[in-house]
Amino acid sequence: GRYSDAVRHLRTAVRSDEVVGRAGPLLVEALLWLGHVKQAEREAVRLMERRPADAGLALRLAMYLEDHGRLEASLAAYRRARVGMPAARDVAFGEMRVLSLLGRVKEAAQSLMPLFGFYPDEPELYIHIFRLLYRAGHPEAEAYRAEAMRQTEGNAYGRMAVADGDLLEGRVAEGLALLREGVAEWPELLDARLYLAEVLFRQGDAKGCLKAAKASSPDPERRLYRVRAWCYAASGEIDLAMEQIT
């Protein structure tokens, strides 16, 4: 926590080309902790201009700037990093995250689209873009969700991810419908039943929660007992809840 001392040493270290890639981002972070935000941003720009081909340096700077809420400076650093690492997911998702925090949600969705050139059949990517476009009120959102549905056909965990996207964007009816379909299609998959039960519990549907968490054997997995305890407690049956916990 002695950031002033750290800055003094790091200013010496960044003079060396050998360690500037490690020391530079740490210098910027120490300046940010001291509240010297403009100085930190200027230092970040100087470092990227000094090593324009070092995408890793730009990425580390972007992450520190984002952590400290310097979103415009962070966005510029992520975009520099992306020039050198166009296929890097952490760079693309960092740019998306910052744009989303800035309220530029449609741009955030568009920032992920170049990844299709490297990951053309990745449902997670379609789900992320669907969520962002849906949040932005863009009519193409449903097309991306439909493609995610196509790619996850026959894949229980993929379908759960699509349902998760619906639920996170407040589309509870659609998310629950997908989870119920998944439980019906894969009744042996405990994770699907647990997820459905937890969502129903959080929606205040204690009876539905109990039905989804119904034990399929005399000795169900411990996670199922826990969820059943929640369901019973939510319906006021405390003795039964305690029995499940025990």
Side-chain angles (χ1 to χ4, degrees):
R2 293 162 52 193
Y3 296 113
S4 295
D5 291 341
V7 166
R8 179 165 51 84
H9 291 296
L10 289 164
R11 286 200 184 283
T12 301
V14 294
R15 296 176 194 153
S16 165
D17 287 336
E18 287 185 33
V19 298
V20 65
R22 286 183 294 154
L26 291 174
L27 172 59
V28 169
E29 185 188 27
L31 289 168
L32 288 166
W33 278 116
L34 287 168
H36 302 162
V37 291
K38 293 299 181 184
Q39 191 178 345
E41 289 178 4
R42 288 194 296 270
E43 189 65 46
V45 170
R46 278 196 292 269
L47 287 163
M48 289 186 287
E49 288 176 349
R50 179 176 165 186
R51 296 171 68 101
D54 192 340
L57 170 68
L59 174 59
R60 288 189 291 276
L61 290 168
M63 293 169 69
Y64 286 139
L65 289 162
E66 180 189 354
D67 284 347
H68 287 264
R70 310 307 299 171
L71 299 182
E72 292 289 356
S74 174
L75 178 60
Y78 274 123
R79 285 178 168 168
R80 284 216 188 199
R82 197 156 188 181
V83 173
M85 296 190 292
R89 295 173 56 85
D90 50 355
V91 178
F93 276 86
E95 181 180 347
M96 176 274 290
R97 193 168 53 247
V98 171
L99 284 167
S100 185
L101 288 167
L102 287 167
R104 295 155 60 179
V105 184
K106 184 180 175 183
E107 283 183 68
Q110 292 169 338
S111 72
L112 292 181
M113 292 177 185
L115 287 180
F116 285 131
F118 306 98
Y119 313 102
D121 299 313
E122 188 170 294
E124 181 191 358
L125 193 51
Y126 285 91
I127 293 166
H128 274 290
I129 293 174
F130 149 66
R131 289 183 57 200
L132 291 162
L133 290 178
Y134 178 79
R135 206 178 308 161
H138 198 283
E140 288 187 10
E142 294 300 332
Y144 283 91
R145 183 183 183 275
E147 179 59 22
M149 289 285 288
R150 186 191 70 78
Q151 291 189 7
T152 56
E153 188 171 351
N155 181 336
Y157 288 99
R159 279 296 164 89
M160 286 165 64
V162 179
D164 198 40
D166 282 328
L167 293 166
L168 287 168
E169 295 307 318
R171 293 162 48 109
V172 178
E174 291 88 343
L176 278 173
L178 267 185
L179 290 177
R180 286 190 170 106
E181 288 173 16
V183 168
E185 188 170 351
W186 298 285
E188 74 288 350
L189 184 63
L190 181 62
D191 286 338
R193 292 169 56 210
L194 283 168
Y195 192 11
L196 174 58
E198 289 185 24
V199 171
L200 290 168
F201 166 75
R202 297 185 189 285
Q203 290 297 311
D205 184 357
K207 289 184 178 179
C209 173
L210 279 169
K211 183 179 178 181
K214 184 179 179 181
S216 57
S217 69
D219 186 27
E221 189 178 331
R222 184 169 56 186
R223 289 183 297 162
L224 201 55
Y225 283 121
R226 184 189 63 193
V227 176
R228 286 170 62 79
W230 294 350
C231 303
Y232 278 125
S235 59
E237 299 185 67
I238 305 301
D239 288 343
L240 290 173
M242 292 301 297
E243 181 182 311
Q244 295 296 310
I245 291 170
T246 302

